[in-house]
Amino acid sequence: MSSYIGIQKPSIRVSVIVPVFNPGDGFRDLIASLDRQSLRPDQFEILLCDDGSDEATKRRLDRVAQDRPHVRVLNLPHSGWPGTPRNEGVAAAQGTYVQFVDQDDYLFDTALQALCDYADANGSDVVVGKEVGIGRALPSRIFRRDIPDAVLGEHPLLEMLTPHKLFRTEFLRAHGIRFPDGRVRLEDHLYVMQAYFAASKISILASVPCYAWVKHPGSASASRIDPETYFPHLENVLDVVEANTEPGTLRDRLLRHWFRGKILKRLSGRQMLRYPAEYRNRLIDVVTPIVERRFGPGVDAGLSFPHRIRAALLRAGLRDDLVRFAEFETELSCVAAVTSANWSRGGGLHLSIDVSILRDGREALVFDTETDRLSSLPLESLTDLPPEALIAGRERTNDRIELFLLGDEPGDERRIASERPRARSGISVAIDPLRVFADHGPSSTLRLMAKVRRAGWTFDVPVTSDAGALMRAGSSPLLAGSAVLLTTGSSGGVELQREGSGTGLRDLAGRSARRARRALHRS
């Protein structure tokens, strides 16, 4: 038990807990972000939980605390993993809430205030604040909208099982929720799942960027796992799920997350092909009995179509075809291209975009028109699979194309369309420049990106175009506001570029002209 337990001070809204061990340059960014917080320094504290760092780091931490009365350094024996320092931080915390932050990540400027306000307003035990990946892709469904009262198994809470969350301090203490001590893989999953099951209310704050999760070379999450030592830790997480659920739909839905993310994903595409044959066989040797023991038909049934094929190949022991299937996936390419572009008199930009999924220059995903069976797989043992394994079913009805405009800043992303493709090949979209550029500076560039879902596969690609299609659009009209140029960037992707001079006046003129046009139509 920690010797740092203190009396909670009501004036301290949140304790920021940072496990520290010989941090690099990213630590400066973290401290700078905490200095910039909109929450007053007397309303939060920072606990730097030093896991036995070297003397240079100890001096560095002391310097950080010297001029910041709200910073405390906890000097701890070396444990070798962040779990114990985090536990000591919770024990020492004086805030109503605790927020875990890793030493090489940082917080957005309004994060602490927004998280505390949201938790206060909703009576939350756990708040999942919006995370933004810096150099890494993050799941997007969980942060599409604010959810004050999220339900496990109904809302996408499992998409983000990092500990980078706000927790009510007394909630953690009352339920004895702790990280495992020592070097334990998936310790964040263990911790967060215990909290999810115990919480009276879990809230998702998606409307405010809170946490910048920075990818660094050599991080534990980026390294190749040792199958024999890693997967027993996974089974500990599965034990928590099974201890808190009854057999049935909810349990299957939750277990499916780890089957998909921790096993099947490792047998997919480029990741599978990067493994040496010896490592690949070790991995399959370890996971096959876990799959048979832990994941029943109800788990498989909810997998995406590609993962259902992969699971069937794994269960059938078809290792060579698992590799061929991974090769097939890496050879798929998605092309999203503007085929026509024009400006309307009302100031909107209208684009038609066609999408193709190709392999060797030909359509890659070919389905039997009567059975909906995928017939273009280059596998040798298709007859050894259950007949239903190659039938796409619901995925074909869920085909979708989403379009996004991306700015230059992390998290600057706006979804502008989400539609079923026409005849499974494309969509049309209207873009209002006055809306999409409203929160950007005078000179701004927005890149057009597509997320394409086809038969369970997902592709994130830039929208491309030949120069002729864009040139035919001509100049933007007055009702579009400031002049907008439709062009292709250095990588070949379509961009909307707004010119910098006189943008305020032109936008005002565009809005005025629209109001006059609407008034004329009404009369």
Side-chain angles (χ1 to χ4, degrees), residues 196-424:
Y196 279 172
F197 281 120
S200 296
K201 183 173 286 188
I202 307 166
S203 302
I204 298 173
L205 177 59
S207 57
V208 179
C210 295
Y211 193 101
W213 188 9
V214 184
K215 183 177 178 65
H216 294 277
S219 65
S221 59
S223 60
R224 182 181 296 173
I225 63 166
D226 178 70
E228 290 81 5
T229 59
Y230 177 89
F231 284 100
H233 296 301
L234 173 62
E235 294 210 70
N236 290 337
V237 178
L238 304 183
D239 287 341
V240 171
V241 174
E242 292 183 355
N244 287 277
T245 59
E246 296 295 328
T249 302
L250 175 60
R251 177 182 288 183
D252 287 343
R253 187 176 296 148
L254 298 181
L255 292 178
R256 189 177 303 130
H257 170 79
W258 287 276
F259 186 25
R260 178 177 57 239
K262 299 304 178 184
I263 295 179
L264 294 177
K265 185 178 177 181
R266 288 188 161 90
L267 303 177
S268 304
R270 288 182 175 82
Q271 186 162 352
M272 174 74 152
L273 299 179
R274 282 197 299 265
Y275 302 145
E278 180 273 337
Y279 178 85
R280 187 163 55 231
N281 285 325
R282 282 175 54 209
L283 176 62
I284 294 174
D285 286 342
V286 171
V287 302
T288 298
I290 295 175
V291 170
E292 294 297 335
R293 188 169 63 248
R294 293 285 196 165
F295 307 117
V299 176
D300 284 18
L303 292 169
S304 68
F305 180 49
H307 280 325
R308 293 201 302 275
I309 297 173
R310 205 174 336 274
L313 292 170
L314 179 63
R315 292 183 187 278
L318 300 173
R319 299 189 180 198
D320 290 343
D321 270 347
L322 268 173
V323 175
R324 293 188 187 95
F325 188 50
E327 291 171 343
F328 170 80
E329 291 182 303
T330 62
E331 293 164 358
L332 298 179
S333 63
C334 176
V335 177
V338 174
T339 56
S340 69
N342 61 83
W343 291 98
S344 71
R345 287 183 293 178
L349 174 62
H350 294 261
L351 303 177
S352 293
I353 298 172
D354 280 357
V355 172
S356 301
I357 311 297
L358 305 174
R359 177 173 175 264
D360 295 332
R362 293 177 293 182
E363 181 62 38
L365 302 176
V366 180
F367 292 87
D368 184 277
T369 55
E370 294 184 2
T371 65
D372 219 20
R373 184 178 187 271
L374 181 61
S375 58
S376 54
L377 280 181
L379 306 183
E380 293 185 356
S381 306
L382 294 179
T383 56
D384 295 331
L385 297 180
E388 67 274 10
L390 298 179
I391 297 176
R394 66 178 182 274
E395 275 81 9
R396 296 267 282 159
T397 63
N398 291 336
D399 285 356
R400 184 161 292 273
I401 301 172
E402 295 178 279
L403 295 178
F404 298 85
L405 286 171
L406 274 60
D408 294 329
E409 297 298 320
D412 184 3
E413 175 181 293
R414 181 182 185 131
R415 185 171 65 168
I416 58 172
S418 178
E419 296 182 17
R420 291 282 310 280
R422 305 184 308 268
R424 303 191 186 278

Side-chain angles (χ1 to χ4, degrees), residues 115-183:
L115 288 163
C116 290
D117 289 349
Y118 197 64
D120 288 347
N122 294 293
S124 314
D125 289 325
V126 184
V127 178
V128 186
K130 182 175 182 177
E131 296 199 38
V132 176
I134 309 299
R136 68 168 79 231
L138 295 184
S140 59
R141 276 200 315 138
I142 187 172
F143 297 128
R144 284 185 180 167
R145 61 185 178 92
D146 290 349
I147 305 177
D149 192 0
V151 178
L152 190 60
E154 179 178 332
H155 297 109
L157 287 164
L158 297 188
E159 278 196 350
M160 194 61 63
L161 289 175
T162 64
H164 312 146
K165 298 171 174 58
L166 188 86
F167 299 88
R168 188 177 297 274
T169 309
E170 287 307 317
F171 158 74
L172 296 176
R173 291 172 178 166
H175 290 275
I177 298 171
R178 293 173 53 85
F179 290 93
D181 292 310
R183 189 179 178 87

Side-chain angles (χ1 to χ4, degrees), residues 417-436:
S418 178
E419 296 182 17
R420 291 282 310 280
R422 305 184 308 268
R424 303 191 186 278
S425 63
I427 63 170
S428 297
V429 60
I431 301 173
D432 182 353
L434 285 176
R435 287 181 180 272
V436 300

